[in-house]
Amino acid sequence: MDRHVGRRVCEKRLALGYNQSDLGRALGLTFQQIQKYEKGTNRVSASKLWDIARFFKVDIGYFFEGLTGSPATGVAEESASFEHDHPATRYTIEIGRLAPQLSTRQQKLALDLIRDMADRPEPAES
């Protein structure tokens, strides 16, 4: 649960163009504390999550979207939409933001290119 909430904080922060220091200043925290929240190393308190939601101008439920399970049982699981443990980056968020502006043909070409690149090992830097 902590990793999921942290990932959602990170994704929204990147989507809005803030860095960890920006968010930290707004909340009276260091960027290191934001980093720990985003990695799920430290749990975000309810009051701090409320402050983060207000800063991002989102409903607090935003941070729990994608979780399944019952609050009554205390068991929460990430839905299939999070099949990886890789946090979003500026690049993945921008790709997702720009893709709908492309024609269907262009989207297919971009997807084919990304799939092709994902299947190849990255060349060693010299």
Side-chain angles (χ1 to χ4, degrees), residues 3-4 8 33 46-47 66 80 82 85 87 93 96-97 103 116 122:
R3 283 188 1 213
H4 177 84
R8 297 289 288 169
Q33 185 63 44
S47 60
F82 287 98
D85 196 27
I93 289 171
R97 185 177 60 78
S103 69
D116 187 47
E122 195 169 317

Side-chain angles (χ1 to χ4, degrees), residues 61-76:
Y62 166 84
F63 301 106
F64 301 98
E65 290 173 5
L67 286 174
T68 59
S70 168
T73 65
V75 176

Side-chain angles (χ1 to χ4, degrees), residues 10-86:
C10 180
E11 288 173 353
K12 182 51 96 173
R13 177 182 59 76
L14 290 172
L16 294 174
Y18 294 110
N19 62 39
Q20 290 174 334
S21 295
D22 296 332
L23 180 56
R25 274 191 298 278
L27 302 174
L29 301 170
T30 64
F31 81 90
Q32 292 97 332
Q33 185 63 44
I34 299 301
Q35 193 173 55
K36 289 178 182 180
Y37 285 162
E38 291 181 356
K39 289 181 178 180
T41 306
N42 286 6
R43 180 169 291 161
V44 182
S45 69
S47 60
K48 201 53 75 176
L49 194 59
W50 179 262
D51 292 341
I52 293 169
R54 288 181 60 208
F55 179 75
F56 289 157
K57 295 179 176 65
V58 297
D59 184 79
I60 202 158
Y62 166 84
F63 301 106
F64 301 98
E65 290 173 5
L67 286 174
T68 59
S70 168
T73 65
V75 176
E77 299 172 358
E78 288 185 303
S79 67
S81 65
F82 287 98
E83 294 175 3
H84 57 77
D85 196 27
H86 307 291

